[in-house]
């Protein structure tokens, strides 16, 4: 069964209430905890929700100053965190203290233009620490 992307109505902004209703209490609390951490002073990131006509869905663009750190999308039963790196960052990802499966998937990922995607489907709180490790790396890159 193929995963279904949510937040398809351009007239319904993904407010906390909307996110809670589509994700359910458990996953919404995971997302809330994650967003609270990355928008804290320690990380200094901000999220901007916009409706994109090309994909006909709402996406959260998470930035530090003007730099895009990752994209957030909401799916049935999970949310996705999508990072994009360049070829020169492959070694940096390989050296991170994150699960081998994530490093391996990135090592095998095919570039989209000049960017290499690192996409993580988030189902539970246990995955947040790994994502925060990747966020710190991405934020530190020039």
């Amino acid at each position: 069964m193929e995963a279904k992307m949510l937040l398809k109505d351009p007239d319904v902004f993904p407010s906390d209430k909307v996110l809670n209703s589509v994700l359910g209490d458990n996953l919404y609390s995971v997302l809330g905890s994650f967003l609270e951490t990355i928008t804290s002073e320690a990380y200094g990131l901000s999220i901007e929700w916009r409706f994109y006509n090309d994909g006909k869905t709402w996406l959260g663009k998470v930035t530090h100053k003007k730099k895009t750190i990752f994209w957030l999308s909401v799916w049935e039963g999970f949310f996705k965190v999508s990072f994009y790196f360049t070829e020169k960052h492959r070694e940096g990802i390989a050296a991170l203290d994150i699960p081998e499966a994530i490093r391996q998937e990135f090592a095998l990922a095919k570039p989209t233009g000049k960017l290499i995607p690192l996409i993580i489907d988030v189902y539970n709180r246990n995955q947040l620490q790994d994502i925060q490790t990747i966020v710190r790396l991405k934020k530190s890159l020039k």
Side-chain angles (χ1 to χ4, degrees), residues 60 75 88 96:
W75 297 71
K88 67 183 179 184
L96 287 178

Side-chain angles (χ1 to χ4, degrees), residues 36-45 64 136 139:
E36 194 175 305
T37 299
I38 62 166
T39 57
S40 70
E41 208 173 301
Y43 285 84
L45 304 184
H64 180 255
R136 286 190 296 275
K139 194 177 153 191

